[in-house]
Amino acid sequence: MVKRLLYCLLFLLLNGTVLTAQGYLNFIENKGQWDPAIQFKTEFKGGAIVFQQNGYRVLQHRPEDYERVTNLMHNHQEKNTKKVAVKSNSNQIPEEADQFKIQSHVYEVNFFNAHPNPEIIPEKIIPGIHNYFIGDDSTKWGRSCKTFQAFTYKNVYPNIDIRFYSSNGALKYDVVVHPGGDPSQVILHYKGVDQLKVKNKALQIQTPVALHKELIPSTYVISKEGNKELGCSYYVKGSFVGFNINEPYDKTQTLVIDPSPVYASFSGSVSDNWGFTATYDGSGNMYTGGIIFGGAFPGANGTFQGGGTFDMAIMKYDVHTSNSLAYATIIGGSGSDQPHSLIVDKSGNLIIAGRTSSSNYPTKGATKKWGTGGGYDIIMTKLNAAGSALIGSIVIGGSANDGVNIGPNYDAPNGPISTRRNYGDDARSEVLLDNNQNILLASVTQSGNFPVKNAFQSTHGSMGIGNNQDGVLIRMSPTLDDVLNSSFIGGNDDDAAFVMSIQPGTGDIFVAGATASTNLDGNKTGVIYPTSSGAVDGFIANIKSDFSQINTTTYFGTSGTDVIFGIQFDRYGFPYITGTTTGLFT
């Protein structure tokens, strides 16, 4: 547990990229995960660009909206922001709230009168693969996608190439006019913009959400004597843009036109992401789990209003190759998807536990969905060792929120609520493997009809009398095909199962977290705290390995607020806990 916490801290300190290890603006190939017209995609802070066979499309989120949503995701209070209350039994999804709405715009640039199908040549492959499991249609999952630092449209016009690349973290492109090429043929046709004009020698591209600029092109002729600078300027005719070469040059030499795009608010950084969990395997490789602001690229140009949705971003770093990125895998659906806990099995397969609000979260196996579902649901997903395939994936839940403690963290500025006391407490759960490689999960539910099986507690402990949240403990088969056990764990008020550990020798499961209940089940004879001490206490429940009963339960608290965030056993079978308190233990 200590190592996992340290790795999670390391992840939060890493640079802000989830799709590349280097933090540059790189180009990921399309292998079915996006619209077939897309060849490559690169993401920026607050936007993205996709490259098609004969041009490219730019997605820009309104900078003020994007900043507000990212601040809300980080729990930064904003003045005059509409408050959206979330009750513990609510199935409201936060992205439906007004404060999560983002105005965005897409415009398109085509190579006018160009070759309709130029050869596209990628360059400078980057180590590590990218996988995309988006939605429940497996034909649209992209596996083992390569990433490149540059690519070239060859002979877009006769003897003219256009090359896109990253330079110092910013997107660049060169128009390369080989001998025999005519630079006057290069015409860019803009669709979906409000205005094009040249001001102070820079091209200005106005959209409803932002002003983009391309600075005066650096233009030169390549010769044996060295590069010779030439004067060059933009010209605009309606929705068309071209280049004027303002002085004669030797047309037997290669001419390079090198504009400098400046995309307002998102040049120089990839899409924002937030880290939630981390783990390691038997070889010491590191795995990190977070969320990335995402959503499908719009099919049409123009302005649209959308909600802030995000997908899971799972990465593996290979310690044997200077901690280089081994893979980055994006998992999610049409809603919001978030990892809470990771663990690696003996074969190097990664198990992910978390929550989803997506109705089309990617699933695989004999039991893809268990329970009625509604609001947020619990997910468990198992990736193969390469991160390129789902071994199994299941969605579990009742009709209310499951897998989210009290409510999403976006309303946390309103203050601590019941068992959600700190930043990130809405996203706590833990996944482990038992001695038979079955998959155990400790989490929470607000559903009275949460599905149970072979349970030590078959009914919700507080339904109808408290704030309607219980902990849950689930055991799945190694491939996530079969639910072996599923049980409530809770009393007459809110309960949250945050962490767990397996006792050596007995195989009993120790579950810990936070509780507001005063009547937790389990034998309390001889335990350290048989009764609750405050409004919210920590708790530890010792559950028989076959789920037949709760052996013992102890509260762990003071007159203040107490929460347990970690539990582990030493080699002698003694448990150790860690957590927080606002009181004084005596």
Side-chain angles (χ1 to χ4, degrees), residues 22 72 111 114 140 148 221 280 311 327 382 410 518 541:
Q22 294 84 355
L72 287 167
F111 308 134
K140 297 180 180 179
F148 304 91
V221 172
Y280 55 92
D311 296 320
Y327 68 71
K382 189 171 188 177
Y410 77 101
T518 58

Side-chain angles (χ1 to χ4, degrees), residues 219-230 253-254:
T219 305
Y220 53 92
V221 172
I222 301 174
S223 66
K224 295 180 180 179
E225 293 75 26
N227 296 344
K228 178 186 176 183
E229 295 287 337
L230 293 176
Q253 307 293 336
T254 297

Side-chain angles (χ1 to χ4, degrees), residues 88-394:
S88 62
N89 63 348
S90 170
N91 63 359
Q92 182 180 18
I93 304 305
E95 291 72 30
E96 296 174 351
D98 288 347
Q99 70 233 50
F100 275 84
K101 293 295 184 181
I102 294 179
Q103 187 178 33
S104 305
H105 186 84
V106 173
Y107 70 85
E108 186 171 358
V109 182
N110 291 325
F111 308 134
F112 183 69
N113 279 342
H115 192 296
N117 292 295
E119 183 182 9
I120 302 176
I121 302 175
E123 310 168 35
K124 300 181 179 179
I125 190 169
I126 295 171
I129 62 171
H130 296 77
N131 308 290
Y132 294 83
F133 301 101
I134 305 298
D136 53 7
D137 183 353
S138 61
T139 64
K140 297 180 180 179
W141 295 348
R143 302 174 175 88
S144 301
C145 304
K146 298 183 181 67
T147 305
F148 304 91
Q149 292 184 11
F151 70 93
T152 300
Y153 291 94
K154 294 289 292 183
N155 289 310
V156 180
Y157 301 94
N159 299 309
I160 297 176
D161 304 333
I162 299 180
R163 181 175 184 265
F164 287 85
Y165 60 99
S166 175
S167 177
N168 296 321
L171 179 69
K172 296 278 290 179
Y173 72 94
D174 290 345
V175 178
V176 183
V177 183
H178 298 287
D182 180 1
S184 67
Q185 289 187 306
V186 180
I187 299 174
L188 306 178
H189 185 200
Y190 285 75
K191 299 178 180 179
V193 302
D194 289 348
Q195 186 183 49
L196 293 170
K197 67 178 180 179
V198 178
K199 184 176 180 180
N200 297 326
K201 299 183 180 181
L203 175 65
Q204 294 192 350
I205 307 158
Q206 183 68 59
T207 76
V209 300
L211 175 66
H212 300 170
K213 296 180 181 179
E214 292 194 11
L215 304 183
I216 184 171
S218 171
T219 305
Y220 53 92
V221 172
I222 301 174
S223 66
K224 295 180 180 179
E225 293 75 26
N227 296 344
K228 178 186 176 183
E229 295 287 337
L230 293 176
C232 180
S233 59
Y234 296 103
Y235 71 85
V236 174
K237 290 185 178 181
S239 59
F240 298 90
V241 174
F243 303 95
N244 286 320
I245 307 301
N246 299 328
E247 53 187 291
Y249 71 97
D250 183 355
K251 292 182 173 55
T252 65
Q253 307 293 336
T254 297
L255 172 71
V256 177
I257 304 172
D258 180 12
S260 297
V262 180
Y263 294 102
S265 84
F266 63 84
S267 181
S269 177
V270 295
S271 184
D272 273 349
N273 66 96
W274 300 268
F276 283 92
T277 180
T279 191
Y280 55 92
D281 62 21
S283 300
N285 298 311
M286 182 174 74
Y287 300 76
T288 62
I291 58 175
I292 180 171
F293 187 83
F297 206 96
N301 301 328
T303 303
F304 60 96
Q305 192 88 358
T309 61
F310 43 86
D311 296 320
M312 298 185 191
I314 308 298
M315 293 182 289
K316 176 183 177 181
Y317 292 93
D318 188 345
V319 297
H320 304 293
T321 56
S322 301
N323 293 316
S324 66
L325 183 69
Y327 68 71
T329 297
I330 307 302
I331 308 172
S334 56
S336 294
D337 314 282
Q338 184 172 328
H340 295 174
S341 183
L342 308 174
I343 195 165
V344 183
D345 69 12
K346 294 179 180 178
S347 301
N349 305 309
L350 181 69
I351 299 99
I352 306 158
R355 72 180 190 235
T356 183
S357 69
S358 299
S359 60
N360 62 339
Y361 183 85
T363 56
K364 183 179 180 181
T367 307
K368 296 181 178 181
K369 295 186 179 181
W370 197 51
T372 60
Y376 280 103
D377 293 314
I378 292 169
I379 64 92
M380 283 187 274
T381 297
K382 189 171 188 177
L383 296 176
N384 68 355
S388 59
L390 300 182
I391 294 174
S393 187
I394 186 171

Side-chain angles (χ1 to χ4, degrees), residues 457 460-462 465 469-470 489-493 495 515 517 519-520:
Q457 180 181 328
H460 197 296
S462 66
I465 54 175
Q469 178 171 290
D470 267 11
I489 178 170
N492 58 2
D493 211 308
D495 308 283
T515 181
S517 296
N519 67 337
L520 288 179

